[in-house]
Amino acid sequence: MKFFDELKRRNVIKATIAYITVAWVLLQIISVVFPSFGAPQWVIKIFMFVLIAGLPVWIIFSWVYELTPEGLKKTKKVAIEHSITEQTNKRLNIIIILTLMLLAAITYFKNPETDAEAYTEKSSIRLSEKSIAVLPFKNDSPDKDNVYFCDGIMEGVRENLSKVPELSVVSRTSVEQYRENSPSVTEIADELGVNYILEGSVLRIGDRSIIRARLIYAPEDQNLWSEKYDREMEDIFSVLAEVTTSIAQKLKATISPEVLKSIEYEPTTDLTAYDYYLQGKEYFNNYLLSARQEDFNNADRLFQNALDLDSTFALAYVERARILKEKHQYEFYNNEYLVDSILFLCNKAIELDPSSADAYSMRGKFYDDFLFEIAKAEEDLKMALKLNPNHVGALRQMSWLTRLHHLDIVTALKLLKTLEKLDRSVRELQRTFEMYALCYRQIDYREKELYYLNKAMELGSGVNYEKAWYFVIHDQIPEAIEFIMESEKDSQIKFGALGFYYLLLKDYKNSLVYYNKWAELVKEEGAHNSSGVKDWHRYGQVLMETGRRDDGMKIMKDQLKRNEKLLVNFQVGYEIFYENAGIHAFLGNKKEALKNLRRFDQSHRWEKKIDLIQFDPLFDGIRDNEEFKAMINKELIWKRQVRAEVKSLENKGEL
């Protein structure tokens, strides 16, 4: 009892409490301030270690020494009647109270939770509280060519997690940049806007696989869960399901029975077919990055090999459809066989696996882009997003469809904001910024259009023609010509664009120079974009304007016949009505021109055409027609109304 009384008299207990509270406040401040300056987590841990190590030193110090009016003295040398421990006790009380008040304030503003799963990220760049990135798994196998298998396992886990509605999962392409370049977990999370990171490795030896996975709460660099799976290859799909359910459970994300059934679904019982499929995916992903034809051909062959071994392998049917679409993308306009083939492959995949978001997304995109069956496209895309709320392909196509067919610019922009956060790869971000620009162009919101075009151009040259079109519609056609001349290599697309720009200037001599080059390359190489199929009448127009009237007339009439075939095959070819209207207007057939223009107007797909038609030479013959002027005026009014709505939502912070 005397020892305890002496501890109290010497203020050792109060000094210890004061030290702990002050140290805790310091740690809270450091944990907020240091990351702001880019300090790694180990710096904070060193400070924590120093403060903990200092506690016993402080306790001994407060026992041995006493504060006196003359300074520090050893306690045993201070007479009790000269001691000021009572005043020191009061000072320590004040320090403790003030420190606790400061701690309460810090806790209120920082709002940390003791349970790691309950952290809520307040930063606007975060996708959501339960946002996660699955990094490329390391290949621990002796065979270094086994990377495709590691990627397949990683993608399998990522795909399964994407199906859980409460989770926000960034795309595969977003994390590819960290395969070789590996900054800290905290830095990766900040760049991707996620709270959680999943790391893993795969060791494949014969018929066995050892898969390690680790879930990290990135803001604190805290390991939440880790597991090792040593299984036979035949159990690979159950491992993917176990990893998914374990992570969902750790993050307190609910998995419905329907989602669980999809996660536990085994796409094939033939492991060799699965191996072919994974190799094919690897080659196709490499092709998308490099455009090497050899990679594309290998992917094509391997997906077919997978189907040869297992004709019930739904995922392989989807990839075969993707291959066919990529290989013949500009032949669909006049090849019914290809259309039927794509639909057959998608339908077969859905029949075999009704939970395949990829199959619904692929079919929905095809319905939209090539068949113009918008209701069917929207139904498929909605189903894809129901099955996989993080499906970036379906999100992108839905934004496109919403903007063009429903003219719902606000919803399209909101979908793009989600897409921008889920798909952070350079190539896909560029596409997203381009789509932002197209949304703003459609409502003539020039500042935002130019802003996003410039952001897209910072990431590469893939949007040069969209930037050139910005010049064209804002009466800067010479600037568009100069820009494309300097920025693009010679190609049929470049020559066709330059021919068209000179045509708009009514400089038919220069236009003919480039249209001649364009026509020669299209005949030699085949069409590299849709203009190689449906823009021959522009060439005909230039020929007629430069004295070759018979040649030009023949090309124009041939284009009308080609367009009629397209309309029969695909029922609704919205741009074709515009082109037909232009041809008829140029040839003096006002009645047919207005008839086709009405059909085009009913499709609600003016987009670029509303800007073009105001100075398109094809329509000079009907420019004074009242119906013609009324159609244009109606679209311009719509632009103003939607632009005002978008700006209002922006001012409110709702967009």
Side-chain angles (χ1 to χ4, degrees):
M1 196 67 181
K2 284 183 179 182
F3 175 69
F4 185 73
D5 291 339
E6 188 63 16
L7 285 174
K8 289 172 62 179
R9 189 188 75 78
R10 298 189 183 200
N11 289 317
V12 174
I13 296 174
K14 285 284 177 69
T16 301
I17 295 172
Y19 182 95
I20 292 171
T21 54
V22 170
W24 185 249
V25 168
L26 284 173
L27 279 175
Q28 297 306 302
I29 294 172
I30 287 168
S31 69
V32 172
V33 174
F34 277 31
S36 301
F37 292 95
Q41 289 290 320
W42 61 263
V43 176
I44 299 174
K45 291 176 181 178
I46 288 175
F47 266 87
M48 184 184 298
F49 175 78
V50 170
L51 289 171
I52 292 172
L55 179 58
V57 176
W58 175 257
I59 293 172
I60 294 170
F61 182 85
S62 59
W63 171 267
V64 174
Y65 290 95
E66 182 179 327
L67 184 65
T68 70
E70 292 81 27
L72 284 173
K73 290 184 179 180
K74 286 191 174 183
T75 305
K76 63 183 180 181
K77 292 184 178 181
V78 180
I80 292 178
E81 60 271 17
H82 296 140
S83 175
I84 59 168
T85 53
E86 290 224 7
Q87 293 95 312
T88 304
N89 184 34
K90 290 177 182 178
R91 293 192 188 106
L92 287 171
N93 283 338
I94 293 171
I95 291 172
I96 291 169
I97 291 169
L98 290 175
T99 307
L100 288 173
M101 290 173 65
L102 182 59
L103 181 61
I106 292 172
T107 303
Y108 176 79
F109 288 108
K110 190 182 176 190
N111 192 28
E113 298 285 340
T114 55
D115 186 353
E117 294 94 328
Y119 277 100
T120 302
E121 177 58 54
K122 298 297 192 293
S123 171
S124 61
I125 67 165
R126 299 290 177 190
L127 271 164
S128 68
E129 178 189 353
K130 298 171 183 177
S131 51
I132 184 169
V134 183
L135 300 185
F137 281 20
K138 290 172 58 180
N139 178 23
D140 288 340
S141 306
D143 183 357
K144 298 308 174 186
D145 292 334
N146 227 25
V147 171
Y148 77 89
F149 184 75
C150 300
D151 288 346
I153 299 303
M154 176 270 283
E155 180 61 12
V157 173
R158 196 205 65 79
E159 183 74 15
N160 280 344
L161 289 170
S162 296
K163 298 174 182 177
V164 182
E166 291 180 42
L167 301 182
S168 296
V169 186
V170 298
S171 69
R172 157 81 183 272
T173 54
S174 299
V175 300
E176 192 61 32
Q177 59 186 306
Y178 305 112
R179 183 180 296 278
E180 303 297 337
N181 171 35
S182 186
S184 70
V185 164
T186 304
E187 289 173 317
I188 293 174
D190 285 342
E191 290 174 8
L192 296 178
V194 298
N195 281 329
Y196 299 94
I197 296 289
L198 182 68
E199 295 179 330
S201 64
V202 180
L203 171 61
R204 186 182 184 186
I205 304 175
D207 292 332
R208 297 194 68 80
S209 292
I210 299 174
I211 300 171
R212 292 180 172 85
R214 182 166 74 107
L215 181 66
I216 303 164
Y217 177 65
E220 300 291 327
D221 198 6
Q222 180 182 0
N223 186 28
L224 294 183
W225 168 87
S226 62
E227 191 60 76
K228 172 185 172 183
Y229 302 88
D230 186 350
R231 304 285 182 82
E232 298 286 342
M233 276 296 298
E234 62 188 24
D235 295 328
I236 194 67
F237 300 118
S238 63
V239 171
L240 299 181
E242 286 178 42
V243 172
T244 305
T245 53
S246 296
I247 292 171
Q249 184 178 17
K250 196 66 183 175
L251 299 184
K252 296 183 178 177
T254 304
I255 298 181
S256 68
E258 294 80 9
V259 173
L260 182 61
K261 182 179 179 181
S262 174
I263 289 170
E264 292 179 341
Y265 173 77
E266 296 190 4
T268 180
T269 56
D270 192 315
L271 294 178
T272 304
Y274 183 62
D275 199 74
Y276 282 144
Y277 168 79
L278 293 184
Q279 290 183 60
K281 287 280 285 184
E282 191 75 3
Y283 276 117
F284 191 73
N285 287 331
N286 290 340
Y287 164 75
L288 293 177
L289 294 172
S290 66
R292 284 194 302 267
Q293 190 61 39
E294 183 182 0
D295 288 336
F296 183 87
N297 293 340
N298 283 330
D300 190 3
R301 172 179 54 81
L302 287 160
F303 290 137
Q304 187 57 55
N305 287 350
L307 286 174
D308 289 342
L309 290 177
D310 183 358
S311 61
T312 65
F313 195 173
L315 290 176
Y317 280 105
V318 176
E319 296 307 322
R320 281 289 299 142
R322 202 184 313 277
I323 287 283
L324 201 58
K325 178 177 175 295
E326 182 74 17
K327 184 187 292 186
H328 302 286
Q329 56 182 316
Y330 299 117
E331 296 176 39
F332 290 110
Y333 294 99
N334 50 21
N335 191 325
E336 292 179 74
Y337 168 75
L338 290 173
V339 174
D340 292 340
S341 297
I342 289 282
L343 287 178
F344 169 79
L345 292 166
C346 290
N347 291 339
K348 188 67 175 178
I350 291 170
E351 176 190 334
L352 292 168
D353 179 12
S355 68
S356 174
D358 278 350
Y360 280 107
S361 178
M362 171 65 70
R363 192 173 70 176
K365 180 174 175 58
F366 198 74
Y367 275 137
D368 188 12
D369 289 347
F370 295 102
L371 298 179
F372 309 108
E373 296 188 30
I374 309 309
K376 289 182 178 180
E378 188 168 13
E379 183 181 352
D380 275 356
L381 293 171
K382 284 181 177 179
M383 178 58 76
L385 289 170
K386 179 182 179 182
L387 294 168
N388 182 344
N390 296 282
H391 198 292
V392 292
L395 276 170
R396 188 177 300 282
Q397 194 68 28
M398 184 62 86
S399 174
W400 185 269
L401 181 151
T402 302
R403 173 177 70 88
L404 286 180
H405 298 292
H406 297 315
L407 305 180
D408 188 349
I409 304 298
V410 171
T411 300
L413 287 170
K414 289 179 178 179
L415 287 168
L416 287 176
K417 287 188 180 297
T418 300
L419 184 63
E420 181 184 354
K421 294 175 181 179
L422 285 175
D423 211 343
R424 303 291 299 172
S425 67
V426 170
R427 185 168 64 96
E428 298 306 323
L429 267 180
Q430 186 182 48
R431 291 178 65 194
T432 301
F433 292 150
E434 180 185 6
M435 290 178 71
Y436 273 125
L438 294 177
C439 282
Y440 290 115
R441 173 184 295 166
Q442 196 160 340
I443 57 174
D444 201 20
Y445 194 163
R446 296 187 184 187
E447 308 95 307
K448 282 295 187 70
E449 178 193 354
L450 186 59
Y451 170 77
Y452 279 106
L453 280 175
N454 288 336
K455 280 179 73 74
M457 289 184 65
E458 288 172 7
L459 300 177
S461 61
V463 294
N464 285 346
Y465 289 103
E466 293 298 344
K467 181 65 179 286
W469 189 251
Y470 177 87
F471 289 131
V472 169
I473 63 177
H474 295 123
D475 199 24
Q476 297 173 282
I477 298 176
E479 286 85 346
I481 292 172
E482 182 182 1
F483 177 69
I484 291 301
M485 286 278 203
E486 294 176 354
S487 63
E488 287 292 319
K489 296 178 180 178
D490 288 353
S491 68
Q492 61 174 264
I493 297 174
K494 177 181 178 178
F495 294 146
L498 291 173
F500 184 53
Y501 300 157
Y502 278 115
L503 181 155
L504 294 176
L505 287 174
K506 299 186 179 180
D507 182 349
Y508 298 116
K509 182 179 179 180
N510 276 315
S511 179
L512 182 59
V513 170
Y514 287 104
Y515 267 127
N516 279 334
K517 293 180 180 181
W518 170 81
E520 184 179 340
L521 286 179
V522 171
K523 291 175 181 177
E524 179 183 326
E525 302 170 347
H528 285 187
N529 66 357
S530 60
S531 68
V533 177
K534 59 184 182 61
D535 283 356
W536 283 88
H537 61 294
R538 298 288 181 179
Y539 184 36
Q541 178 187 359
V542 174
L543 287 173
M544 293 178 72
E545 295 285 5
T546 53
R548 295 170 58 184
R549 184 169 181 81
D550 290 344
D551 292 339
M553 180 69 77
K554 182 179 185 307
I555 288 176
M556 281 202 157
K557 289 183 176 179
D558 286 346
Q559 186 66 55
L560 282 174
K561 292 177 183 177
R562 190 180 299 112
N563 289 349
E564 289 303 317
K565 182 179 179 182
L566 294 176
L567 289 172
V568 170
N569 286 348
F570 300 109
Q571 299 165 7
V572 180
Y574 61 93
E575 280 195 15
I576 295 171
F577 292 123
Y578 179 93
E579 310 303 349
N580 280 351
I583 295 171
H584 286 299
F586 183 75
L587 296 179
N589 304 325
K590 293 184 180 181
K591 184 177 179 180
E592 284 298 315
L594 290 170
K595 176 184 174 182
N596 276 276
L597 207 54
R598 284 187 214 107
R599 295 283 302 275
F600 177 70
D601 184 50
Q602 290 168 5
S603 72
H604 307 296
R605 291 287 296 264
W606 280 89
E607 199 195 4
K608 286 183 179 181
K609 303 301 185 188
I610 191 59
D611 300 307
L612 174 61
I613 200 171
Q614 295 176 69
F615 55 89
D616 189 341
L618 283 176
F619 292 92
D620 287 350
I622 62 171
R623 201 164 296 285
D624 293 332
N625 180 274
E626 292 302 321
E627 184 180 0
F628 177 84
K629 290 191 286 188
M631 277 189 270
I632 294 176
N633 191 49
K634 179 192 66 174
E635 286 300 309
L636 295 178
I637 291 171
W638 174 82
K639 277 177 179 266
R640 288 195 295 271
Q641 291 173 338
V642 179
R643 183 169 65 248
E645 179 188 2
V646 168
K647 287 186 175 182
S648 174
L649 291 172
E650 287 177 344
N651 291 334
K652 295 175 184 177
E654 297 176 13
L655 191 61

